[in-house]
Amino acid sequence: MAIIDVEAPLHEAHRDNHTHRDVNGGWLRPAVFGAMDGLVSNLALMTGVAGGSVSQHTIVLTGLAGLAAGAFSMAAGEYTSVASQRELVEAELDVERRELRKHPKDEEAELAALYMARGVEPDLARQVAGQLSRDPEQALEIHAREELGIDPSDLPSPLVAAVSSFGSFALGAMLPVLPYLLGASALWPAVLLALFGLFACGAVVARVTARTWWYSGLRQLALGGAAAGVTYALGSLFGTAVG
């Protein structure tokens, strides 16, 4: 009688199906949130100006100016932020690299202590720390992960961050301007397209959260619509007061 190993297929199936979402968001999070930022800010800017009963030419010019100003501002801010963060990390890595060169035994003992604090038996912790410390670059990577919580081989690029922020913001900010560029003469097509874009962005955000796509979409639509409505009312108020 043949013996069927039922555990092996189950283990294999479990191994194949055991996957996780990217909890850090990867490229999706900054791209989607950048697009939403562009959408909300430019939609609010254009509706605020439109509330002042200005010409169609002025609304389009305002939208294009808001797109350019916001995209360049986002790119510059993201570049500076990521570059500063990277410089700080590299400075800390230099400190760790010097410590590993000057006091290798102390750093090895420190690494062993970290493993012991996590429940590894002392003898095994010292043995693992000794083996990992044989390669200076590997030791640096392990210390960086354990002490600083970073991966030295996967530091963010300021240029990539700036370009992605510029592109995603510009894409989102273009939506409320697009109907005017295609010949629309009223505000409502721009508002409808922008609200649709907000719902779509919110639905995509659900991929990096625990919410359902329709809830995230409706929430973003409501927030963006409220921002547009408030700025339109303020534009009408200020337009009447100034006029």
Side-chain angles (χ1 to χ4, degrees):
M1 179 178 179
I3 299 176
I4 301 176
D5 185 2
V6 296
E7 292 187 359
L10 289 176
H11 291 164
E12 187 65 31
H14 177 74
R15 186 159 53 247
D16 291 341
N17 295 328
H18 190 69
T19 58
H20 294 284
R21 292 177 297 174
D22 182 3
V23 295
N24 291 323
W27 61 269
L28 181 62
R29 184 182 181 279
V32 172
F33 280 91
M36 284 197 297
D37 191 10
L39 252 172
V40 174
S41 62
N42 217 30
L43 175 63
L45 179 63
M46 291 175 64
T47 53
V49 172
S53 301
V54 298
S55 66
Q56 175 184 338
H57 175 77
T58 302
I59 297 175
V60 175
L61 184 60
T62 299
L64 292 175
L67 184 157
F72 280 111
S73 176
M74 284 284 292
E78 195 71 15
Y79 184 91
T80 302
S81 175
V82 174
S84 300
Q85 179 185 8
R86 186 180 179 116
E87 290 165 0
L88 175 60
V89 169
E90 289 175 344
E92 291 301 314
L93 288 175
D94 287 339
V95 171
E96 194 64 37
R97 190 177 287 110
R98 287 195 300 269
E99 289 298 312
L100 284 168
R101 187 174 61 253
K102 293 180 179 179
H103 310 288
K105 290 300 180 181
D106 291 341
E107 292 298 308
E108 181 180 327
E110 183 178 340
L111 187 59
L114 286 172
Y115 290 137
M116 284 187 281
R118 294 186 176 185
V120 179
E121 294 181 358
D123 289 340
L124 180 58
R126 284 189 287 269
Q127 183 180 358
V128 171
Q131 291 179 353
L132 294 175
S133 299
R134 292 174 183 173
D135 182 356
E137 289 303 316
Q138 179 177 256
L140 175 64
E141 181 176 341
I142 296 297
H143 279 275
R145 290 176 182 271
E146 295 293 337
E147 297 178 29
L148 303 176
I150 60 173
D151 183 356
S153 63
D154 191 28
L155 297 181
S157 168
L159 183 59
V160 171
V163 171
S164 62
S165 295
F166 182 95
S168 59
F169 185 97
L171 182 63
M174 176 57 72
L175 280 185
V177 183
L178 190 59
Y180 283 103
L181 298 180
L182 295 178
S185 57
L187 180 64
W188 66 265
V191 173
L192 285 181
L193 182 59
L195 292 179
F196 174 80
L198 286 169
F199 180 86
C201 286
V204 173
V205 169
R207 290 190 57 184
V208 292
T209 66
R211 295 291 185 179
T212 56
W213 64 270
W214 57 266
Y215 176 87
S216 296
L218 289 176
R219 179 176 60 181
Q220 192 58 41
L221 187 150
L223 292 173
V230 170
T231 52
Y232 183 86
L234 291 175
S236 300
L237 179 64
F238 294 152
T240 302
V242 174

